[in-house]
Amino acid sequence: MTRNPKLVLYEPDRTFAARICDYWINQKGFPFEITCFSSYEKWRNACPGLSADIWLIDSSIADEVQKAGLPGRVLIWTDDESQETAIYKYRSADILMQTLKDCLDMTGSSSATDREQAFVLGLYTPGRSWLQTVMGVEIARALTSYGQVLYLPLSGFWAMKDLQTDYYSKDISDFMYFLAGSEQQSTVFIQNYILEKEGIEFLAAVDNPDSLRAARAQEWLDFLDFWKKSGRYRYIILDIGPEICEVPKLLQGCTKVFSVKESGSIFNGIWHQYEQYLEATGNLSLMAGTETIPLQESREDFNFMETTEYKRRLVMELLSRAGMI
């Protein structure tokens, strides 16, 4: 009979420990058998006789734990959000749970190779439209019913008001920078950057889009490959803004491309120029794999509540036609 993997938790805040353990235990798919300590004396006395696959330990005794050489994977968690190598304990409980499951995969107790291949959805509109992100967030909301979603805003903060209501000290450009030069364990590293709203996980958009311009297409493809290999997500959405260079190369790495199509001579002209550009660069095949998102001609109130049902129907039709659901 296969045993459940063991998680030992040391958290001195008794109320917090009880609340988060109770939440995890009642979540479908949580794989661990938990042993929890809030008393340091009880922890110290029990520790020599304990074994665990994952140890989740408050940072107040980090030095002691490192000297002890505990068998299994040791994770330090903290109430200091600035620590890159520790887990921030006041993240969403669901994100914390996923982090623990990812760490379990890395110990070899379960296999990430059995997970389904992620679908990568690219959102790109020639000339850019703020409605691209409005529809992108609506797509993400719909997909949460079918699997875990990661939203990557490759554009400025201004476009992300539906998900991101404030600036954050760690944004997507910081993640790329540290990912390129870091030897840290990726599971903890990921957890410190992920935000969550409405069941959608995402990285914070940059407040200065110029920080995105320096990255070449291959860097973005490597960045995308990192997320695909993480095994955390069923759907990865790239919301691509005009700051990104070599857009066709990035779009070639997507399972499907969605683009907002508005009516009017100006927008028709932009699309004609875009087709000419794709043909000149040998990427005209992208047009055949692009699903256009046709919008109502009268869209002044597109973001209002009365259009919610219209957006939902439109998104479901698009995703069904594209084979994403």
Side-chain angles (χ1 to χ4, degrees):
M1 181 176 179
T2 303
R3 70 170 180 86
N4 289 331
K6 294 183 178 181
L7 168 67
V8 173
L9 169 66
Y10 173 69
E11 167 52 54
D13 184 335
R14 185 185 301 272
T15 301
F16 178 68
R19 186 170 68 246
I20 197 163
C21 286
D22 183 64
Y23 179 82
W24 284 339
I25 290 169
N26 287 287
Q27 293 304 298
K28 181 180 179 181
F30 186 66
F32 294 97
E33 173 188 326
I34 302 179
T35 302
C36 179
F37 296 89
S38 292
S39 163
Y40 173 73
E41 293 299 327
K42 290 183 177 180
W43 152 262
R44 188 179 63 180
N45 292 333
C47 185
L50 292 175
S51 63
D53 299 278
I54 304 290
W55 304 77
L56 186 57
I57 307 297
D58 183 77
S59 59
S60 62
I61 60 169
D63 291 341
E64 178 181 337
V65 167
Q66 289 171 358
K67 292 176 183 177
L70 299 174
R73 182 79 182 276
V74 177
L75 301 175
I76 303 299
W77 74 345
T78 176
D79 57 5
D80 181 0
E81 193 172 8
S82 67
Q83 291 191 28
E84 293 285 354
T85 57
I87 294 176
Y88 180 56
K89 64 175 68 174
Y90 299 122
R91 293 283 186 197
S92 157
D94 289 332
I95 292 177
L96 290 171
M97 182 173 72
Q98 183 61 57
T99 299
L100 294 172
K101 292 168 74 175
D102 289 346
C103 289
L104 185 63
D105 287 337
M106 293 174 67
T107 66
S109 298
S110 63
S111 175
T113 58
D114 294 334
R115 296 176 179 177
E116 296 180 274
Q117 180 67 35
F119 287 107
V120 181
L121 283 65
L123 303 172
Y124 179 70
T125 300
R128 183 63 186 181
S129 168
W130 62 273
L131 293 173
Q132 173 179 302
T133 297
V134 171
M135 294 306 301
V137 172
E138 198 67 29
I139 288 171
R141 287 183 179 128
L143 289 175
T144 57
S145 298
Y146 300 90
Q148 185 61 56
V149 179
L150 174 67
Y151 199 99
L152 299 175
L154 311 188
S155 57
F157 168 80
W158 61 271
M160 281 289 290
K161 62 182 183 299
D162 277 2
L163 282 182
Q164 184 179 333
T165 56
D166 202 355
Y167 293 107
Y168 291 89
S169 58
K170 299 175 181 178
D171 61 36
I172 197 167
S173 61
D174 295 317
F175 186 93
M176 287 191 69
Y177 174 78
F178 287 111
L179 181 64
S182 176
E183 298 298 327
Q184 298 172 22
Q185 296 167 332
S186 60
T187 297
V188 174
F189 187 64
I190 289 172
Q191 191 269 350
N192 283 327
Y193 281 81
I194 288 174
L195 303 169
E196 187 272 336
K197 185 176 180 181
E198 301 179 34
I200 303 166
E201 294 187 10
F202 62 100
L203 298 189
V206 297
D207 60 345
N208 178 14
D210 285 341
S211 62
L212 301 175
R213 299 183 193 279
R216 309 303 297 175
Q218 189 57 53
E219 293 178 79
W220 288 116
L221 289 172
D222 292 343
F223 172 73
L224 178 59
D225 192 51
F226 171 85
W227 290 107
K228 290 165 68 176
K229 287 180 177 178
S230 76
R232 291 171 67 103
Y233 302 102
R234 175 65 169 162
Y235 301 99
I236 300 171
I237 299 177
L238 302 182
D239 187 352
I240 304 169
E243 301 85 7
I244 305 303
C245 68
E246 302 176 273
V247 168
K249 188 172 182 180
L250 181 54
L251 293 179
Q252 294 286 5
C254 298
T255 310
K256 200 70 178 179
V257 178
F258 294 90
S259 189
V260 171
K261 190 73 176 287
E262 299 185 60
S263 59
S265 57
I266 294 177
F267 296 106
N268 290 336
I270 290 173
W271 269 85
H272 180 63
Q273 290 177 341
Y274 178 56
E275 289 180 355
Q276 288 182 318
Y277 167 67
L278 292 179
E279 184 174 12
T281 56
N283 292 286
L284 192 57
S285 60
L286 279 173
M287 292 300 295
T290 297
E291 293 282 349
T292 58
I293 305 175
L295 301 180
Q296 305 174 95
E297 290 191 23
S298 177
R299 58 178 181 80
E300 289 80 6
D301 63 345
F302 192 79
N303 232 6
F304 291 179
M305 286 296 294
E306 57 263 32
T307 63
T308 298
E309 182 60 25
Y310 165 76
K311 286 188 289 185
R312 191 194 69 80
R313 287 200 313 270
L314 177 58
V315 162
M316 297 304 291
E317 290 172 4
L318 285 167
L319 293 174
S320 178
R321 188 165 67 239
M324 296 293 102
I325 57 175

